[in-house]
Amino acid sequence: MSLKRQLFLASVLMLLIPWAGLKFVLELDNALRAQALQQLEEKGARLAELAGDLMLGVPVVDGAEALYAAPTTQSPKVDGFTTTWPDFRDHEDQLPWQSRPGQDNLRWLATSNDRHLYLLVQNRDQGLQPYNPSQPEHPHDRFKLVLQPPASQLESGLPRTWLIRTTAPGANVPALVDGDPNKPDRRLDVAWEDLGSRWQLELRMPKPAPGSRLGFQALQTGEQPVTQGTPITPPPILVQRNTGLERALERQLSDGQQVTVLEPAGWVVAQSQAESPNSTTDFDELSASQILEQITLNALRSLVRLYQPQPKVLTEAHHQLHTGGLPEHHLVQQGGEVWLATEHSFFGGRSLLLKQSMDQLLSVSGSALGSVLARSLLIILALTLALLGYASWLSWRIARLQRLVSASVDDDGRILDTIPPARSRDELGQLQQHFGQMVSRLQSYNHYLESFSRKLSHELKTPVAVVRSSLENLAHSHSEVERQQYLERASSAAERLRRILHSMSEAARLEQSFDQADKEHFDLAEVVSQASAAYQQLDPHHQYHCYLPDTACPLLGSPEMLVQMLDKLVDNAQDFTPEGGAIEMRLELDPEHYTIEVFNEGSSLPVNPGVDIFGAFVSQREGKAEGHLGQGLLIVRLIAEFHSGRIDAQNQYLNGIDGVAFRAIIPRLPNEPRTAP
């Protein structure tokens, strides 16, 4: 998988942030819903007690005949027409007419405000037949209205009855108390209009007391009632909004709450709502981040509703609402909005339905979190683009490095060119630097391998030629002395061949011997001192100096291998030191390690930085000595690493003499004794 795809997947994993935020919102929604439900239960119980104290009159049970007066804040004009009635739009059929089953010819509307009750009655079967005072027995339309006060006011008088008839269509039609022409009731304002194929009556009267009964009949003289088949005994119960109760309930509500008081038959007698704070802002005034927050919050609401239980749909028809019991999760949907609802019963079988808007609850949990999620989405988008751009840049750099490496080596493994140094200092720059060093070392190593056959041929040519010539001369010699000379020459050449082959395999044998080597405690100063004395005796052509610390230098290791390491270092120094030159051996003691240094004058390290003089088959002698295939310093490095140390070399100016110092740094292990054994 490419680096760009890996970083893309890594950026996709950052989507876990909004996923975790959504899980948190859902858990918060459940917690807030449980807490809000408990608070609604407590508040609903208090509001039910308040409603029980303020509700008067007999409860309207199922099956009881009722006349519902919808609430209004308007004052319809009493002119016999419908244009000024609440909810009127362009056609009267759009009004919420009421009627009785089986009597579709008669329909009516009733509404009330704080002062008056308005009644609109329409007969759709015939036009108006006016009353002719000169012919009172002639058929004419009459309208009878009955108002029965609540039981608490019956002692003030019997039910009141009004008879309404008109001599001509129009307004100011008198309402006769008990049908007496001499007792018109000026408190009632009546208009009666003839609409051709139907007539329409509009009436305004003082608002009856709560718990009253109100009934009416449309009659014709000499005919049976055209609207109701039986006399109005008793009249239907007048159901109207209790404005005093609505105001009292509204003061108790919190933001986003709605309360509805229902009669046993489902009639809505009180409904109050506390509007949520208006925090809307003009779209043009919103910033880009605020627009994104609103979009996120709306999406958050949709997601929460998706994971919420399915709410129960409540439908209010003709001002009647039947809950049929609330579901276990108490979520209901009414008017296109989801609510958290509780229902409480009180006196007379009435009920109180208290609801809390779920949008309000989600606003509490989602306003801040919606802002966080919106910002996190912006950050994730920016990080994704940044990561993709960064991945493209890394891919370009890696591809460039790949092209440089490919261009530096041909198909046969030959080094064609070096890799230029990197300008950056990050990991890829360091990788390019290491590739450059590797190519340089491979170039030096390939140069050595290419000259290895020449060196080996040069090293083997002379002893092989000596052996061959000695054997040929041996066959033609006539004296024992000549034969002995030729045999000695052949033996000497064979020994030289053995040394060359031994040098080639010495490093490999040394690495194998590390597995069987046993470490022992010894004094490193004594080993260096004895070795220095032996070198002076065996090599009278150079001056040897040895500098040792005054104290013992205990070490856990292999003294034989360390002597072998000193042999290689001194042998290397002898090859590069002029006759009579100085070779110095120095042992220094530090708290953490020992330093063994061999200095020789008259030479310098190679200038080529790509040459590792401690590598295999690396030699700078260039024919200066015989039998050297570049294995000596490799053996030095292997022995130093066997003792957990390291080896280095540097040009040095010591005591007024230019030369090269080789150092072997060997750590002192903690379990080594501090005194010589």
Side-chain angles (χ1 to χ4, degrees), residues 540-658:
H541 304 292
H542 299 96
Q543 300 178 15
Y544 286 84
H545 304 282
C546 184
Y547 302 95
L548 303 173
D550 297 333
T551 60
C553 299
L555 180 66
L556 178 63
S558 174
E560 292 80 7
M561 290 185 180
L562 289 176
V563 171
Q564 186 179 3
M565 180 186 72
L566 291 174
D567 291 344
K568 297 299 180 182
L569 290 176
V570 172
D571 181 62
N572 183 76
Q574 290 173 352
D575 290 341
F576 291 97
T577 303
E579 187 173 351
I583 298 176
E584 295 185 2
M585 300 178 63
R586 188 182 304 273
L587 176 61
E588 296 180 353
L589 174 63
D590 292 331
E592 301 296 332
H593 57 265
Y594 299 116
T595 302
I596 304 173
E597 181 179 299
V598 177
F599 172 82
N600 66 276
E601 63 172 298
S603 64
S604 61
L605 294 175
V607 180
N608 188 359
V611 176
D612 182 11
I613 61 175
F614 298 101
F617 302 107
V618 178
S619 175
Q620 299 296 318
R621 289 173 173 80
E622 297 295 340
K624 184 178 179 180
E626 296 179 348
H628 288 280
L629 297 179
Q631 302 294 300
L633 294 181
L634 172 62
I635 294 174
V636 171
R637 180 174 64 84
L638 294 176
I639 295 176
E641 292 177 352
F642 174 73
H643 289 83
S644 302
R646 57 187 175 87
I647 191 77
D648 64 13
Q650 59 184 357
N651 295 322
Q652 195 174 78
Y653 183 77
L654 183 63
N655 298 327
I657 302 174
D658 289 326

Side-chain angles (χ1 to χ4, degrees), residues 61 82 188 368 413 459 503 505 518 549 618:
V61 298
T82 59
L188 273 66
E459 295 292 340
S503 176
S505 61
D518 295 329
V618 178

